Amino acid sequence: MVLMTVRLPRDATLAAAARKLGLSEDDVDAGYGLVPLDPATGLYGVRVSDEAARRVRPEALTEEGEGVHADPRIEPFGPPRPGT
């Protein structure tokens, strides 16, 4: 999976993000949803499969801040310490 950032109007939906990227609603991770990253500028994050990300046309991501980003696994660094 990869994260993509897109600019959309305020109160956008996951379906609107999929349409902007030229993808179907099945291509986007509904469990992750549409995450507002900077509501003042309309920047949202959406998670899509690697295969779907390859199908996104470059002209769909022309505004500043839009693009494809890695989705690294987040986990603790080192073994758990007692009392933490």
Side-chain angles (χ1 to χ4, degrees):
M1 299 294 265
V2 297
L3 294 176
M4 302 194 76
T5 50
V6 295
R7 291 207 185 272
L8 297 164
R10 183 180 294 250
D11 298 326
T13 63
L14 189 59
R19 277 194 304 276
K20 178 165 183 172
L21 296 172
L23 301 174
S24 74
E25 291 185 48
D26 292 336
D27 291 322
V28 295
D29 183 348
Y32 185 84
L34 184 64
V35 178
L37 301 174
D38 186 352
T41 64
L43 188 63
Y44 293 86
V46 64
R47 198 168 172 220
V48 304
S49 70
D50 293 346
E51 188 275 330
R54 283 190 287 275
R55 288 188 280 122
V56 173
R57 293 170 287 111
E59 56 270 16
L61 303 171
T62 58
E63 296 185 48
E64 185 176 339
E66 293 182 317
V68 179
H69 307 275
D71 186 18
R73 182 181 174 99
I74 298 173
E75 55 189 43
F77 181 76
R81 290 183 277 178
T84 58

